[in-house]
Amino acid sequence: MTARLKNTVALVTGASSGIGEATARSLAAEGAVVAVLGRRHGRLEALADRVRADGGTAFVVAADITDRQQAAAAVESVAAEFGRLDTVVNNAGVMGVGQAVDSPLEEWDRMLEVNVRGLLHVTHAALPHLLRAAQDSPRGVADLVNISSTGGRVARPGTAVYNLTKFGVNGFTEALRQEVGHRRVRVSVVEPGTVDTELSTHLRDGVRQAVERQIGNVELLRPEDVADAVSYIVTRDRRVAVNEILVRAAEQTW
């Protein structure tokens, strides 16, 4: 495989499992130096070891992106270590499901903190570096990819606040695309449907079982399927901007 991202640096948030882990490995396979960011240091180190065993370069950054200072410091540490930042994948996210009347406010707050504020913290810190990279990269382009969800397009009972966060991510992505696209920073959104990750294991008892029944007859997407979409976006020639990819499991109807 041609190393289409050689001499570039990528940062992936929520990289300790699932889509983030698969995306980091995919970008490393394309030749990018990959900075893996998350809260679970041990898992990040294990991922970095796998990337290195495959011949890639990985840099571990343990941080909580819901903390503005930690998020900014994480981004700056990557740029300082490698002198640039070409690709950012905002993947970190949490999902809470359940009727609004029964939902704990703490669950709503957590979704807002991670899915919205965390993404904003990383994006704000990364944008100056992406703008610079777009000017001096041999590829002539930089990329910001936000991982949203089908929940950012279709609202359903029981997912109101999750919908709020993901519809917000979609709107933010589109507005930012229009702001910086002319400066060769491509801003894109990937909206996965049901994916076989840890996300559903964090749901409350009762809610989790209901979700498992709903998706029981669906062959779930694998994290690698979403990572493929991200890699496709960021490996296009600079003349091509893939603004949005919606990818559902084949049997998913919602």
Side-chain angles (χ1 to χ4, degrees):
M1 178 185 293
T2 303
R4 293 175 287 187
L5 298 179
K6 185 178 180 181
N7 299 322
T8 70
V9 178
L11 170 66
V12 181
T13 72
S16 58
S17 65
I19 294 169
E21 178 180 353
T23 298
R25 297 188 70 178
S26 179
L27 298 181
E30 289 284 359
V33 171
V34 177
V36 292
L37 192 160
R39 292 179 301 131
R40 294 178 288 186
H41 189 270
R43 288 201 179 188
L44 296 174
E45 289 288 358
L47 170 58
D49 288 343
R50 287 194 292 275
V51 169
R52 294 166 189 144
D54 292 336
T57 302
F59 181 69
V60 171
V61 187
D64 180 355
I65 62 170
T66 67
D67 183 297
R68 181 173 56 188
Q69 292 182 334
Q70 287 190 46
V75 171
E76 294 304 323
S77 70
V78 176
E81 179 73 17
F82 299 104
R84 62 185 306 107
L85 182 58
D86 301 85
T87 304
V88 171
V89 182
N90 278 314
N91 164 73
V94 295
M95 179 178 68
V97 176
Q99 296 293 310
V101 69
D102 299 321
S103 295
L105 281 173
E106 291 79 9
E107 192 172 85
W108 290 4
D109 287 341
R110 185 62 181 162
M111 284 188 278
L112 290 168
E113 288 292 333
V114 178
N115 299 358
V116 178
R117 292 192 181 93
L119 181 145
L120 294 178
H121 294 160
V122 172
T123 299
H124 188 267
L127 271 175
H129 299 290
L130 294 173
L131 289 164
R132 282 193 291 272
Q135 297 302 310
D136 67 12
S137 169
R139 301 185 67 239
V141 71
D143 284 282
L144 174 70
V145 182
N146 293 328
I147 305 300
S148 181
S149 166
T150 52
R153 295 173 63 97
V154 181
R156 292 170 59 82
T159 60
V161 177
Y162 185 68
N163 291 141
L164 169 68
T165 66
K166 294 302 186 177
F167 271 75
V169 167
N170 286 7
F172 173 73
T173 302
E174 172 57 18
L176 188 60
R177 180 191 70 80
Q178 296 179 39
E179 287 185 24
V180 299
H182 69 287
R183 298 176 69 179
R184 294 289 187 182
V185 175
R186 300 181 297 203
V187 184
S188 309
V189 65
V190 177
E191 299 148 309
T194 53
V195 186
D196 187 8
T197 70
E198 295 180 356
L199 205 61
S200 64
T201 65
H202 302 153
L203 299 175
R204 288 173 283 126
D205 287 342
V207 172
R208 182 175 65 254
Q209 288 79 1
V211 170
E212 289 171 349
R213 287 192 296 272
Q214 180 187 24
I215 64 176
N217 295 321
V218 175
E219 183 179 0
L220 303 182
L221 294 170
R222 298 173 183 173
E224 292 77 15
D225 299 324
V226 185
D228 284 347
V230 176
S231 291
Y232 180 82
I233 288 171
V234 303
T235 56
R236 297 308 89 197
D237 186 272
R238 69 178 188 174
R239 72 182 182 278
V240 179
V242 181
N243 304 149
E244 178 180 25
I245 292 182
L246 170 64
V247 52
R248 286 183 172 96
E251 294 96 352
Q252 183 177 344
T253 56
W254 60 92

